Amino acid sequence: MKLRPVHAAILILLFAAGVLVADLALDGSFHRSGYERVSPDPQGRVVLDVADLANEDVRFFRFLNTGNQEVKFFVGRDSNGHVQVAFDASDICYKTGRGFRHEGDWVTCNKCDKSFQLTTVNAGGGGCKPVPLAHRLAGKQLVLEEKDILVGWRYFR
């Protein structure tokens, strides 16, 4: 059987589609929706309403300031009702840019598939654990300072 140019083009397209699907799967894009974009207010703060954040719920955010510095982070409420905040990166796997995915009361690294209980996120990072992000609660609002968010910029440049 002779390979015609149209068959070669179809094979190339199928290969490219397979590579794209594999990249999306490795990136964790099939496991979570996109990031919600946030920017600092004139006082250099990001204020998020967490009143409707249910237990074992996690939301992913993409911070972008006027200096075009991008930082990804997530906010979750653990099974005890405490708000947990961390960069979408770990000290070890950040270079791949894959971050974490949410699975019940757990967050799982999209590179090495190690899982960590949401209740441990604020306690500290290290290794493949998500790196915690300094924050404070003001009533039902989560307040993040731009300077604290930019501490994690090194994970995303």
Side-chain angles (χ1 to χ4, degrees):
M1 176 172 192
K2 188 175 182 182
L3 184 68
R4 296 185 178 167
V6 71
H7 294 132
I10 290 171
L11 285 175
I12 290 171
L13 286 174
L14 286 172
F15 177 77
V19 169
L20 179 63
V21 167
D23 185 51
L24 288 172
L26 288 173
D27 188 34
S29 297
F30 291 136
H31 299 287
R32 65 170 184 241
S33 61
Y35 294 89
E36 181 181 334
R37 184 174 172 195
V38 294
S39 296
D41 63 16
Q43 291 79 31
R45 299 175 307 166
V46 172
V47 180
L48 302 171
D49 185 12
V50 292
D52 62 343
L53 187 65
N55 287 7
E56 298 185 10
D57 192 14
V58 175
R59 294 187 190 139
F60 290 86
F61 296 91
R62 178 179 164 253
F63 170 87
L64 191 63
N65 67 5
T66 56
N68 210 27
Q69 295 169 300
E70 180 183 63
V71 177
K72 296 176 181 174
F73 64 94
F74 63 85
V75 176
R77 189 177 302 272
D78 64 29
S79 57
N80 298 323
H82 298 107
V83 174
Q84 306 283 334
V85 185
F87 296 107
D88 194 17
S90 69
D91 287 329
I92 292 179
C93 299
Y94 77 92
K95 290 180 182 178
T96 65
R98 294 183 185 163
F100 290 85
R101 66 183 177 269
H102 168 233
E103 297 174 335
D105 195 31
W106 299 82
V107 287
T108 303
C109 176
N110 287 320
K111 180 188 181 293
C112 63
D113 275 336
K114 288 184 182 174
S115 295
F116 306 94
Q117 267 198 305
L118 196 53
T119 56
T120 65
V121 168
N122 287 345
C128 194
K129 287 184 175 180
V131 178
L133 172 55
H135 63 280
R136 67 182 169 85
L137 287 170
K140 296 183 183 212
Q141 294 186 321
L142 175 70
V143 181
L144 304 165
E145 299 292 334
E146 181 176 14
K147 66 180 179 57
D148 293 330
I149 295 172
L150 290 179
V151 166
W153 186 50
R154 68 183 185 97
Y155 297 115
F156 302 98
R157 30 179 168 162

